[in-house]
Amino acid sequence: MKPYDCLYLAPHLDDVVLSCGGTIHRRAREGERALVITLFAGSPTEDANTAFSRELKERWGAVEDPVGVRRREDMDAVTRVGADAAHLEFLDCVYRRGPRSGADLYPAVEHIFGEIHPEEGFFHEELLAALRPFLAASPRATVYAPLTVGHHVDHLVTMRAVRTLHDAGRRVRFYEDYPYAVQPDEVERALAPLREGDVEWLKCCRCFGPEDLDAKADAISCYRSQISTFWQSLSEMRRDIETYARTVGDGELGEAFWRIVRPDPGDGR
Ligand SMILES: [Zn+2]
């Protein structure tokens, strides 16, 4: 495995391109090597399909392997922003069952945007174990993870894993999850629990140029199976991501990242 300067963690196939695509493209032009690792990119077996996931499948149309389609879309998208892609085989929360009970863990929308199920109290350790080879191959790489805007359980469990890395001294940054982050009060709502225990967070905006925004739009358009969930047309998508980038960049084009400034692992804890 070759070493990278940055490891971007996407819970789902599209999170990183939607949230960080402009930054990745800009920095790739400057020679930065980035790997986008999607964690919950596994295809469920028919047996693993839960009642809720079957309902979604019927709503979206019967496709043989919908996650496989999304993995191929992601390969194209990530390449267009100038990074490499890797896919882990964990299942999206809609497919997950309790290791002890065998019950569907997140059977409805309120569970998906609720709290991590008690049966998954140590699930983040499994994620970390799967990430170890990537972390070992790039020991100095900055790790990027979702800030958990929107409160999706797969984003929460990813954050939990990455907080462990931060505590162990790894350089970590958290990106604002787009499109949830379009609502400023959603960002504040995500930060409120993260500030518990006097943890201090600092926001920084990474600016980029129009060509980077074009590359990001081009990459997002690769997610053909997902686009209609968010937008009615590609031009609407292009307009929305520019509006968001100009809001974040205060007139310039930008994306927002957060880091923990206190306590940090170096200050004697
Ligand atoms: Zn996601």
Side-chain angles (χ1 to χ4, degrees), residues 11-12 14-15 155:
H12 306 114
D14 67 9
D15 285 315
H155 291 224

Side-chain angles (χ1 to χ4, degrees), residues 10-15 152 154-155 175 177-178 180:
H12 306 114
L13 296 153
D14 67 9
D15 285 315
H152 189 296
D154 288 342
H155 291 224
Y175 57 84
D177 323 47
Y178 185 87
Y180 306 112

Side-chain angles (χ1 to χ4, degrees), residues 17 20-22 24-26 28-29 36 72-85 211-224 234:
V17 169
C20 319
I24 294 173
H25 188 262
R26 153 108 200 237
R29 290 197 285 114
V36 179
R72 286 190 290 279
E73 293 172 348
D74 185 64
M75 283 290 181
D76 286 346
V78 168
T79 302
R80 289 188 197 203
V81 291
D84 293 337
E211 68 198 279
D212 306 307
L213 186 75
D214 287 342
K216 178 176 180 174
D218 187 34
I220 293 172
S221 72
C222 295
Y223 296 110
R224 283 178 292 278
L234 292 179

Side-chain angles (χ1 to χ4, degrees), residues 15 18 23 27 31 62 93 101 104 117 131 144 161 200 227 259:
D15 285 315
L18 284 169
T23 301
R27 295 186 154 207
C93 69
S101 66
D104 294 356
H117 194 284
L131 289 169
Y144 290 79
E200 258 181 55
I227 285 270
R259 67 188 167 97

Side-chain angles (χ1 to χ4, degrees), residues 8 16-30 81 178 204-217 220 238 240-257:
Y8 285 85
V16 159
V17 169
L18 284 169
S19 304
C20 319
T23 301
I24 294 173
H25 188 262
R26 153 108 200 237
R27 295 186 154 207
R29 290 197 285 114
E30 294 164 350
V81 291
Y178 185 87
C204 113
C205 174
R206 302 258 175 84
C207 286
F208 47 80
E211 68 198 279
D212 306 307
L213 186 75
D214 287 342
K216 178 176 180 174
I220 293 172
R238 177 70 170 73
D240 281 0
I241 65 165
E242 175 161 3
T243 301
Y244 175 69
R246 290 206 185 280
T247 305
V248 171
D250 201 15
E252 307 283 309
L253 297 165
E255 287 164 344
F257 297 86

